Amino acid sequence: MSAAPHPTADSAVPGTQDLAARFTREFGAAPAGVWQAPGRVNLIGEHTDYNEGFVLPFAIDRTARVAVGIRQDSTVRLLSTYGDQGMVSASLDALEPGSAKGWTKYPLGVMWALRERGIDVPGIDLLLDSDVPLGAGLSSSHAIECAVVTALNELTGAGLAAQDMVLATQRAENDFVGAPTGIMDQSASLRGAKGHAVFLDCRDQNATLVPFETEPAGLVLLVIDTKVSHSHADGGYASRRASCELGAEVMGVKALRDVQVGDLEEASGLLDEVTFRRVRHVVTENDRVLQTVERLAAEGPAAIGTLLDASHASMRDDFEISCPELDLAVDTARANGAIGARMTGGGFGGAAIALTPVASEAKVRAAVVRAFAEAGYAAPDIFTVSPAAGAMRVA
Ligand code: ADP
Ligand code: MG
């Protein structure tokens, strides 16, 4: 999937018609419609979500699209253009956590979560096509869920607001899929808008659109997928969460969101050395998100490079969630013209982003590929993303 051609605004329409035509061939009738939802990149604000802090993701120009038809019974038939799982059938009445396998747990989880809310979800036929790379930290799974929830919201006439759809997909991920994720990914996918990032307060879940356009500033945002698996199975994620909870407890606050940069000196006297550095990352990262929002509004993206760099240093040195491949990607991008770069996502692998002048894009790409080869690392996947529209109906 990651080899899929970079989509353009123009390519969306013929692609949509192809998908509807393929649906008709596979299921024997035309779909009721086609809906799409994007993946996301987090511009800044890492490991701040579960500390009730701030994040700043944006919807990207890579989407999952679903063609959906309503059935007259309680059967669900699911097919993806990717992978070799073939058509999967399930019964609505048998849906429960643990009942689905592979990718089908994402659409079925959304159907389950909507039913749990009391929404009368019909049986459906569904064909999925996505150009969001899998497992690269761009949230291909939430793209699927958000496309499905948007489709079902319309088809059932449930009339859910974006915020309710965010919560339904979170319920699907947490309780049906079994992934302890927050609200960032769905919020970006459902509430994102072209040329904007989504400033999200993870305490009250309030979302605000912030102008973020790279092209007029002569910049591109490169994603460098290191191909290092970002599995959190080694307990790194859990131990970071535990450190944050300990830090908040010792500081006497509900969450690290309530600790300000000016409180860090006091914190250093109260906390052990490692916990202090974990806390310092979260506190300074929250501050960097707020500064990024301010600078984007006042000066534009060319002004946020140093904040991206500082975010990476904080994750590398204080939170210790980077890895050699991410550090090499970031350092090489910076040394070859990027104005700011950082790892993005949970850490321990996955992707880095590099905000790069258009004139330096080719040089950065070539230098990163060369540096990875020289270090003996697997070849990275490098592509541009731009802030794009959130979930919507396309046919
Ligand atoms: P991420 O969301 O960061 O990309 P996840 O592990 O959460 O990584 O989700 C990846 C999973 O999403 C895949 O293992 C697969 O089950 C599913 N998936 C994503 N895109 C597709 C697709 N086009 N077809 C089938 N399954 C997909
Ligand atoms: Mg995911």
Side-chain angles (χ1 to χ4, degrees):
M1 275 272 118
S2 56
H6 191 62
T8 63
D10 295 343
S11 69
V13 174
T16 303
Q17 285 164 352
D18 289 350
L19 194 66
R22 169 125 186 226
F23 180 101
T24 306
R25 283 201 305 279
E26 298 283 356
F27 294 110
V34 180
W35 289 260
Q36 72 176 25
R40 65 97 187 92
V41 162
N42 191 21
L43 186 58
I44 194 161
E46 226 63 79
H47 288 261
T48 45
D49 55 349
Y50 54 82
N51 292 296
E52 300 186 13
F54 307 110
V55 293
L56 190 61
F58 60 94
I60 60 174
D61 50 343
R62 287 181 175 239
T63 58
R65 284 175 298 160
V66 293
V68 181
I70 298 181
R71 298 173 57 88
Q72 299 309 317
D73 57 18
S74 58
T75 299
V76 182
R77 289 191 297 173
L78 303 159
L79 182 65
S80 172
T81 59
Y82 173 84
D84 51 12
Q85 206 175 344
M87 196 177 303
V88 175
S89 280
S91 167
L92 270 182
D93 304 317
L95 285 187
E96 57 180 5
S99 64
K101 288 194 185 59
W103 75 274
T104 63
K105 57 184 184 264
Y106 301 110
L108 292 174
V110 169
M111 301 184 84
W112 172 81
L114 291 177
R115 279 165 67 97
E116 289 286 296
R117 285 185 79 108
I119 295 166
D120 189 13
V121 178
I124 58 167
D125 291 330
L126 182 149
L127 174 63
L128 165 70
D129 184 42
S130 174
D131 62 8
V132 185
L134 278 73
L138 303 183
S139 230
S140 65
S141 61
H142 281 102
I144 299 171
E145 290 166 346
C146 291
V148 172
V149 80
T150 304
L152 290 176
N153 189 39
E154 189 176 332
L155 289 172
T156 60
L160 296 179
Q163 181 57 18
D164 294 322
M165 291 195 275
V166 167
L167 295 178
T169 53
Q170 185 187 23
R171 179 101 205 267
E173 277 264 330
N174 291 171
D175 298 338
F176 193 90
V177 176
T181 50
I183 56 160
M184 168 163 69
D185 301 348
Q186 308 90 312
S187 297
S189 185
L190 289 164
R191 310 182 81 163
K194 189 170 163 41
H196 289 80
V198 181
F199 174 42
L200 192 64
D201 182 334
C202 298
R203 172 162 277 171
D204 63 12
Q205 312 198 335
N206 188 46
T208 323
L209 291 175
V210 178
F212 175 52
E213 271 188 299
T214 47
E215 207 185 305
L219 298 167
V220 289
L221 197 89
L222 288 172
V223 174
I224 305 164
D225 177 7
T226 65
K227 304 287 187 72
V228 178
S229 157
H230 63 111
S231 139
H232 302 133
D234 63 355
Y237 178 80
S239 85
R240 296 309 182 283
R241 276 192 87 134
S243 292
C244 292
E245 278 161 26
L246 174 65
E249 196 187 315
V250 174
M251 295 294 291
V253 292
K254 179 167 178 278
L256 290 182
R257 149 72 171 272
D258 301 310
V259 180
Q260 310 304 320
V261 173
D263 302 328
L264 283 173
E265 203 178 308
E266 185 199 344
S268 75
L270 295 172
L271 302 170
D272 67 85
E273 194 265 335
V274 171
T275 308
F276 173 66
R277 285 191 287 114
R278 305 295 189 249
V279 167
R280 183 166 61 186
H281 164 70
V282 173
V283 172
T284 58
E285 185 79 349
N286 270 327
D287 188 58
R288 282 186 288 271
V289 176
L290 297 177
Q291 287 192 52
T292 303
V293 169
E294 273 175 28
R295 289 194 200 178
L296 283 175
E299 300 168 68
I304 68 167
T306 52
L307 293 166
L308 301 182
D309 292 343
S311 173
H312 186 77
S314 179
M315 288 187 281
R316 182 190 59 209
D317 302 334
D318 276 356
F319 220 59
E320 296 181 280
I321 52 169
S322 189
C323 65
E325 291 86 350
L326 285 167
D327 290 341
L328 184 64
V330 165
D331 293 345
T332 307
R334 283 295 275 122
N336 287 277
I339 63 165
R342 61 184 286 272
M343 52 155 280
T344 182
F348 310 105
I353 53 173
L355 192 57
T356 306
V358 173
S360 303
E361 181 187 343
K363 191 175 172 213
V364 168
R365 283 176 178 267
V368 172
V369 168
R370 194 168 54 241
F372 270 57
E374 281 169 5
Y377 299 154
D381 198 5
I382 308 177
F383 48 90
T384 59
V385 290
S386 52
M392 64 170 127
R393 183 174 189 157
V394 287

